[in-house]
Amino acid sequence: MMKTINKITLVVLMLSTTLSYAGKKEKDNAKAFAKSILVEFVNAKKGQKLLVKNEHGLILHSETLKNSGDLSKAFNLNQLEDGKYTIELEKDYEIIIKPVEIKNNILTFLQNKEIKIFKPLVRHNKNKLLISQLSLSSVPVKVEIFYEDELIYSETINDEKTINRVYKLQNEQFGNYHAIVKSDNRSYIEYFKL
């Protein structure tokens, strides 16, 4: 009789352990599903970058696209804590930013906050440096020009949606230059020689 009671107790314990494990696994799967997202971008091109960043701008994932066309990419963000993140497609002249938020283990795609940032176009021709940028939000744009790593010119441009600047460099100063354009909390660097 005692052996029968022990066997029944053992079966009940094993069954309750199995059921609690199955419930935990189901919960974990629900979390994994809640933190997955399908992101789509139109007209993506081979060589462009796809990034996932946290709210401080730290890159958590980066990949270079291997194909051109419309892009659908599933992201499993299981390892991420609650907070705000962005999924970005960095194209030649623009960056498309799709913000997401994880709160209480639920991932929400913030469609109404999707933005597009236009990157500056920096070109040089002989001793002239041309900088153009479209800024839909009229954010300040800072331009810094360096000769042999020494700052030779700096300007902050405010309240302009379209920036077109031509900077004339001294003809006799041959060597290495670079220009840094800062806007939208981002920096763009162009290296060139004269």
Side-chain angles (χ1 to χ4, degrees):
M1 175 89 169
M2 189 66 157
K3 283 186 179 184
T4 307
I5 292 174
N6 283 342
K7 284 182 184 179
I8 292 173
T9 306
L10 182 62
V11 168
V12 169
L13 282 172
M14 287 177 60
L15 184 60
S16 65
T17 303
T18 304
L19 288 175
S20 88
Y21 176 74
K24 182 183 184 316
K25 189 166 184 158
E26 192 174 297
K27 247 187 202 178
D28 288 346
N29 285 339
K31 281 184 185 179
F33 180 75
K35 286 190 178 181
S36 295
I37 190 166
L38 179 68
V39 180
E40 296 178 332
F41 293 97
V42 180
N43 295 327
K45 292 187 179 160
K46 181 179 178 179
Q48 294 176 344
K49 290 208 179 271
L50 186 62
L51 307 164
V52 176
K53 294 182 179 180
N54 69 9
E55 59 192 313
H56 306 293
L58 181 66
I59 298 172
L60 306 173
H61 172 79
S62 175
E63 67 181 87
T64 302
L65 300 184
K66 293 181 172 83
N67 299 309
S68 295
D70 292 345
L71 172 68
S72 286
K73 176 85 176 177
F75 285 97
N76 183 339
L77 305 176
N78 261 341
Q79 303 301 316
L80 300 181
E81 299 291 324
D82 283 4
K84 294 182 180 180
Y85 300 88
T86 58
I87 300 172
E88 304 180 7
L89 179 63
E90 191 171 312
K91 295 184 166 196
D92 296 332
Y93 301 109
E94 66 185 2
I95 302 169
I96 300 169
I97 302 168
K98 297 182 182 243
V100 295
E101 182 177 31
I102 299 174
K103 190 172 185 178
N104 298 322
N105 288 318
I106 303 295
L107 187 141
T108 306
F109 177 54
L110 307 172
Q111 272 186 305
N112 59 339
K113 299 210 177 194
E114 183 176 318
I115 61 170
K116 185 185 293 188
I117 295 175
F118 292 95
K119 294 163 69 174
L121 176 63
V122 181
R123 294 176 288 150
H124 70 281
N125 185 2
K126 299 183 182 177
N127 68 328
K128 291 184 180 153
L129 181 67
L130 301 93
I131 298 178
S132 301
Q133 184 174 12
L134 179 62
S135 176
L136 298 176
S137 57
S138 297
V139 296
V141 176
K142 185 171 186 174
V143 176
E144 297 175 328
I145 302 171
F146 293 83
Y147 169 69
E148 300 293 342
D149 293 328
E150 182 182 327
L151 181 65
I152 59 172
Y153 183 80
S154 179
E155 172 184 21
T156 300
I157 305 162
N158 293 301
D159 301 323
E160 290 186 34
K161 287 192 176 204
T162 303
I163 297 167
N164 287 307
R165 293 286 196 274
V166 178
Y167 302 96
K168 188 173 181 183
L169 306 171
Q170 293 183 8
N171 281 329
E172 66 276 358
Q173 280 192 316
F174 295 102
N176 296 314
Y177 288 84
H178 69 274
I180 301 175
V181 181
K182 299 176 183 177
S183 67
D184 294 298
N185 295 319
R186 296 167 187 263
S187 295
Y188 308 92
I189 302 173
E190 180 75 21
Y191 294 94
F192 59 99
K193 286 186 177 188
L194 192 63

